[in-house]
PDB file of all heavy atoms in Angstrom:
ATOM      1  N   PHE A  28      10.657   9.387  -2.095  1.00 95.00           N
ATOM      2  CA  PHE A  28       9.291   9.029  -1.713  1.00 95.00           C
ATOM      3  C   PHE A  28       8.236   9.884  -2.435  1.00 95.00           C
ATOM      4  O   PHE A  28       7.283   9.378  -3.010  1.00 95.00           O
ATOM      5  CB  PHE A  28       9.086   9.142  -0.194  1.00 95.00           C
ATOM      6  CG  PHE A  28       7.793   8.592   0.276  1.00 95.00           C
ATOM      7  CD1 PHE A  28       7.660   7.222   0.561  1.00 95.00           C
ATOM      8  CD2 PHE A  28       6.669   9.394   0.451  1.00 95.00           C
ATOM      9  CE1 PHE A  28       6.450   6.691   1.006  1.00 95.00           C
ATOM     10  CE2 PHE A  28       5.473   8.880   0.880  1.00 95.00           C
ATOM     11  CZ  PHE A  28       5.366   7.533   1.184  1.00 95.00           C
ATOM     12  N   ALA A  29       8.458  11.206  -2.467  1.00 95.00           N
ATOM     13  CA  ALA A  29       7.519  12.114  -3.124  1.00 95.00           C
ATOM     14  C   ALA A  29       7.509  11.843  -4.645  1.00 95.00           C
ATOM     15  O   ALA A  29       6.426  11.816  -5.282  1.00 95.00           O
ATOM     16  CB  ALA A  29       7.884  13.537  -2.836  1.00 95.00           C
ATOM     17  N   ALA A  30       8.654  11.607  -5.245  1.00 96.00           N
ATOM     18  CA  ALA A  30       8.722  11.359  -6.698  1.00 96.00           C
ATOM     19  C   ALA A  30       8.032  10.075  -7.058  1.00 96.00           C
ATOM     20  O   ALA A  30       7.300   9.965  -8.057  1.00 96.00           O
ATOM     21  CB  ALA A  30      10.183  11.331  -7.159  1.00 96.00           C
ATOM     22  N   CYS A  31       8.224   9.016  -6.261  1.00 96.00           N
ATOM     23  CA  CYS A  31       7.550   7.736  -6.523  1.00 96.00           C
ATOM     24  C   CYS A  31       6.045   7.878  -6.331  1.00 96.00           C
ATOM     25  O   CYS A  31       5.263   7.247  -7.084  1.00 96.00           O
ATOM     26  CB  CYS A  31       8.131   6.640  -5.623  1.00 96.00           C
ATOM     27  SG  CYS A  31       9.800   6.154  -6.096  1.00 96.00           S
ATOM     28  N   ALA A  32       5.609   8.663  -5.373  1.00 95.00           N
ATOM     29  CA  ALA A  32       4.153   8.862  -5.199  1.00 95.00           C
ATOM     30  C   ALA A  32       3.581   9.582  -6.418  1.00 95.00           C
ATOM     31  O   ALA A  32       2.497   9.270  -6.890  1.00 95.00           O
ATOM     32  CB  ALA A  32       3.893   9.682  -3.946  1.00 95.00           C
ATOM     33  N   VAL A  33       4.315  10.538  -6.963  1.00 95.00           N
ATOM     34  CA  VAL A  33       3.842  11.263  -8.156  1.00 95.00           C
ATOM     35  C   VAL A  33       3.771  10.292  -9.362  1.00 95.00           C
ATOM     36  O   VAL A  33       2.784  10.267 -10.110  1.00 95.00           O
ATOM     37  CB  VAL A  33       4.782  12.453  -8.470  1.00 95.00           C
ATOM     38  CG1 VAL A  33       4.520  13.016  -9.859  1.00 95.00           C
ATOM     39  CG2 VAL A  33       4.604  13.537  -7.429  1.00 95.00           C
ATOM     40  N   MET A  34       4.793   9.452  -9.528  1.00 95.00           N
ATOM     41  CA  MET A  34       4.808   8.481 -10.633  1.00 95.00           C
ATOM     42  C   MET A  34       3.660   7.486 -10.458  1.00 95.00           C
ATOM     43  O   MET A  34       2.986   7.093 -11.405  1.00 95.00           O
ATOM     44  CB  MET A  34       6.146   7.771 -10.724  1.00 95.00           C
ATOM     45  CG  MET A  34       7.241   8.666 -11.279  1.00 95.00           C
ATOM     46  SD  MET A  34       8.782   7.762 -11.526  1.00 95.00           S
ATOM     47  CE  MET A  34       9.431   7.683  -9.859  1.00 95.00           C
ATOM     48  N   ARG A  35       3.405   7.078  -9.228  1.00 94.00           N
ATOM     49  CA  ARG A  35       2.329   6.111  -8.945  1.00 94.00           C
ATOM     50  C   ARG A  35       0.976   6.717  -9.299  1.00 94.00           C
ATOM     51  O   ARG A  35       0.139   6.082  -9.926  1.00 94.00           O
ATOM     52  CB  ARG A  35       2.397   5.727  -7.469  1.00 94.00           C
ATOM     53  CG  ARG A  35       1.166   4.976  -6.959  1.00 94.00           C
ATOM     54  CD  ARG A  35       1.151   3.560  -7.517  1.00 94.00           C
ATOM     55  NE  ARG A  35       0.001   2.818  -7.037  1.00 94.00           N
ATOM     56  CZ  ARG A  35      -1.132   2.726  -7.714  1.00 94.00           C
ATOM     57  NH1 ARG A  35      -1.283   3.284  -8.885  1.00 94.00           N
ATOM     58  NH2 ARG A  35      -2.154   2.013  -7.265  1.00 94.00           N
ATOM     59  N   LEU A  36       0.753   7.934  -8.894  1.00 92.00           N
ATOM     60  CA  LEU A  36      -0.526   8.579  -9.187  1.00 92.00           C
ATOM     61  C   LEU A  36      -0.691   8.833 -10.692  1.00 92.00           C
ATOM     62  O   LEU A  36      -1.793   8.695 -11.236  1.00 92.00           O
ATOM     63  CB  LEU A  36      -0.666   9.865  -8.399  1.00 92.00           C
ATOM     64  CG  LEU A  36      -0.844   9.713  -6.900  1.00 92.00           C
ATOM     65  CD1 LEU A  36      -0.728  11.040  -6.178  1.00 92.00           C
ATOM     66  CD2 LEU A  36      -2.168   9.039  -6.582  1.00 92.00           C
ATOM     67  N   ALA A  37       0.360   9.218 -11.346  1.00 92.00           N
ATOM     68  CA  ALA A  37       0.322   9.436 -12.801  1.00 92.00           C
ATOM     69  C   ALA A  37      -0.012   8.128 -13.496  1.00 92.00           C
ATOM     70  O   ALA A  37      -0.861   8.106 -14.431  1.00 92.00           O
ATOM     71  CB  ALA A  37       1.639  10.001 -13.314  1.00 92.00           C
ATOM     72  N   ARG A  38       0.632   7.023 -13.121  1.00 92.00           N
ATOM     73  CA  ARG A  38       0.346   5.755 -13.765  1.00 92.00           C
ATOM     74  C   ARG A  38      -1.116   5.337 -13.487  1.00 92.00           C
ATOM     75  O   ARG A  38      -1.784   4.860 -14.377  1.00 92.00           O
ATOM     76  CB  ARG A  38       1.299   4.686 -13.260  1.00 92.00           C
ATOM     77  CG  ARG A  38       0.988   3.308 -13.886  1.00 92.00           C
ATOM     78  CD  ARG A  38       2.002   2.276 -13.498  1.00 92.00           C
ATOM     79  NE  ARG A  38       1.897   1.919 -12.116  1.00 92.00           N
ATOM     80  CZ  ARG A  38       2.667   1.002 -11.507  1.00 92.00           C
ATOM     81  NH1 ARG A  38       3.583   0.402 -12.197  1.00 92.00           N
ATOM     82  NH2 ARG A  38       2.509   0.737 -10.252  1.00 92.00           N
ATOM     83  N   PHE A  39      -1.562   5.529 -12.271  1.00 90.00           N
ATOM     84  CA  PHE A  39      -2.946   5.167 -11.947  1.00 90.00           C
ATOM     85  C   PHE A  39      -3.902   5.956 -12.807  1.00 90.00           C
ATOM     86  O   PHE A  39      -4.895   5.402 -13.328  1.00 90.00           O
ATOM     87  CB  PHE A  39      -3.196   5.409 -10.460  1.00 90.00           C
ATOM     88  CG  PHE A  39      -4.647   5.170 -10.073  1.00 90.00           C
ATOM     89  CD1 PHE A  39      -5.113   3.859  -9.923  1.00 90.00           C
ATOM     90  CD2 PHE A  39      -5.496   6.222  -9.864  1.00 90.00           C
ATOM     91  CE1 PHE A  39      -6.419   3.646  -9.566  1.00 90.00           C
ATOM     92  CE2 PHE A  39      -6.815   6.000  -9.519  1.00 90.00           C
ATOM     93  CZ  PHE A  39      -7.272   4.719  -9.365  1.00 90.00           C
ATOM     94  N   ASN A  40      -3.694   7.261 -12.936  1.00 89.00           N
ATOM     95  CA  ASN A  40      -4.590   8.094 -13.735  1.00 89.00           C
ATOM     96  C   ASN A  40      -4.613   7.690 -15.207  1.00 89.00           C
ATOM     97  O   ASN A  40      -5.649   7.694 -15.848  1.00 89.00           O
ATOM     98  CB  ASN A  40      -4.254   9.555 -13.592  1.00 89.00           C
ATOM     99  CG  ASN A  40      -4.615  10.123 -12.245  1.00 89.00           C
ATOM    100  OD1 ASN A  40      -5.535   9.601 -11.575  1.00 89.00           O
ATOM    101  ND2 ASN A  40      -3.919  11.150 -11.824  1.00 89.00           N
ATOM    102  N   VAL A  41      -3.471   7.322 -15.733  1.00 90.00           N
ATOM    103  CA  VAL A  41      -3.365   6.937 -17.154  1.00 90.00           C
ATOM    104  C   VAL A  41      -3.990   5.589 -17.366  1.00 90.00           C
ATOM    105  O   VAL A  41      -4.776   5.393 -18.309  1.00 90.00           O
ATOM    106  CB  VAL A  41      -1.896   6.958 -17.628  1.00 90.00           C
ATOM    107  CG1 VAL A  41      -1.748   6.282 -18.969  1.00 90.00           C
ATOM    108  CG2 VAL A  41      -1.361   8.364 -17.676  1.00 90.00           C
ATOM    109  N   GLU A  42      -3.707   4.616 -16.506  1.00 86.00           N
ATOM    110  CA  GLU A  42      -4.197   3.251 -16.719  1.00 86.00           C
ATOM    111  C   GLU A  42      -5.660   3.081 -16.360  1.00 86.00           C
ATOM    112  O   GLU A  42      -6.306   2.224 -16.933  1.00 86.00           O
ATOM    113  CB  GLU A  42      -3.333   2.279 -15.908  1.00 86.00           C
ATOM    114  CG  GLU A  42      -1.970   2.119 -16.427  1.00 86.00           C
ATOM    115  CD  GLU A  42      -1.104   1.170 -15.606  1.00 86.00           C
ATOM    116  OE1 GLU A  42      -1.553   0.723 -14.530  1.00 86.00           O
ATOM    117  OE2 GLU A  42      -0.029   0.820 -16.054  1.00 86.00           O
ATOM    118  N   SER A  43      -6.197   3.869 -15.470  1.00 81.00           N
ATOM    119  CA  SER A  43      -7.569   3.680 -15.048  1.00 81.00           C
ATOM    120  C   SER A  43      -8.549   4.634 -15.742  1.00 81.00           C
ATOM    121  O   SER A  43      -9.733   4.535 -15.428  1.00 81.00           O
ATOM    122  CB  SER A  43      -7.669   3.787 -13.511  1.00 81.00           C
ATOM    123  OG  SER A  43      -7.449   5.124 -13.147  1.00 81.00           O
ATOM    124  N   ALA A  44      -8.058   5.482 -16.583  1.00 78.00           N
ATOM    125  CA  ALA A  44      -8.944   6.437 -17.254  1.00 78.00           C
ATOM    126  C   ALA A  44      -9.994   5.710 -18.091  1.00 78.00           C
ATOM    127  O   ALA A  44      -9.681   4.913 -18.975  1.00 78.00           O
ATOM    128  CB  ALA A  44      -8.160   7.368 -18.137  1.00 78.00           C
ATOM    129  N   GLY A  45     -11.257   5.928 -17.781  1.00 77.00           N
ATOM    130  CA  GLY A  45     -12.334   5.315 -18.536  1.00 77.00           C
ATOM    131  C   GLY A  45     -12.584   3.862 -18.256  1.00 77.00           C
ATOM    132  O   GLY A  45     -13.439   3.256 -18.868  1.00 77.00           O
ATOM    133  N   GLN A  46     -11.864   3.270 -17.328  1.00 78.00           N
ATOM    134  CA  GLN A  46     -12.019   1.858 -16.993  1.00 78.00           C
ATOM    135  C   GLN A  46     -12.869   1.708 -15.735  1.00 78.00           C
ATOM    136  O   GLN A  46     -12.870   2.572 -14.897  1.00 78.00           O
ATOM    137  CB  GLN A  46     -10.658   1.205 -16.732  1.00 78.00           C
ATOM    138  CG  GLN A  46      -9.690   1.280 -17.892  1.00 78.00           C
ATOM    139  CD  GLN A  46     -10.154   0.416 -19.061  1.00 78.00           C
ATOM    140  OE1 GLN A  46     -10.759  -0.623 -18.890  1.00 78.00           O
ATOM    141  NE2 GLN A  46      -9.882   0.884 -20.277  1.00 78.00           N
ATOM    142  N   PRO A  47     -13.620   0.588 -15.651  1.00 79.00           N
ATOM    143  CA  PRO A  47     -14.348   0.392 -14.398  1.00 79.00           C
ATOM    144  C   PRO A  47     -13.371   0.087 -13.266  1.00 79.00           C
ATOM    145  O   PRO A  47     -12.202  -0.278 -13.493  1.00 79.00           O
ATOM    146  CB  PRO A  47     -15.225  -0.848 -14.696  1.00 79.00           C
ATOM    147  CG  PRO A  47     -14.540  -1.522 -15.840  1.00 79.00           C
ATOM    148  CD  PRO A  47     -13.830  -0.447 -16.630  1.00 79.00           C
ATOM    149  N   LYS A  48     -13.851   0.252 -12.031  1.00 76.00           N
ATOM    150  CA  LYS A  48     -12.996   0.048 -10.856  1.00 76.00           C
ATOM    151  C   LYS A  48     -12.505  -1.412 -10.847  1.00 76.00           C
ATOM    152  O   LYS A  48     -13.255  -2.349 -10.945  1.00 76.00           O
ATOM    153  CB  LYS A  48     -13.774   0.329  -9.599  1.00 76.00           C
ATOM    154  CG  LYS A  48     -12.947   0.217  -8.335  1.00 76.00           C
ATOM    155  CD  LYS A  48     -13.767   0.561  -7.121  1.00 76.00           C
ATOM    156  CE  LYS A  48     -12.895   0.314  -5.887  1.00 76.00           C
ATOM    157  NZ  LYS A  48     -13.619   0.527  -4.662  1.00 76.00           N
ATOM    158  N   ALA A  49     -11.191  -1.554 -10.711  1.00 77.00           N
ATOM    159  CA  ALA A  49     -10.573  -2.876 -10.763  1.00 77.00           C
ATOM    160  C   ALA A  49     -10.515  -3.468  -9.331  1.00 77.00           C
ATOM    161  O   ALA A  49     -10.599  -2.744  -8.351  1.00 77.00           O
ATOM    162  CB  ALA A  49      -9.164  -2.779 -11.305  1.00 77.00           C
ATOM    163  N   ALA A  50     -10.336  -4.764  -9.263  1.00 78.00           N
ATOM    164  CA  ALA A  50     -10.263  -5.436  -7.985  1.00 78.00           C
ATOM    165  C   ALA A  50      -8.842  -5.369  -7.403  1.00 78.00           C
ATOM    166  O   ALA A  50      -8.648  -5.625  -6.231  1.00 78.00           O
ATOM    167  CB  ALA A  50     -10.678  -6.910  -8.104  1.00 78.00           C
TER     168      ALA A  50
END
Side-chain angles (χ1 to χ4, degrees):
F28 188 85
C31 288
V33 167
M34 288 185 281
R35 168 72 181 96
L36 290 170
R38 179 174 70 180
F39 175 77
N40 287 335
V41 168
E42 289 179 351
S43 67
Q46 300 293 327
K48 184 179 176 184

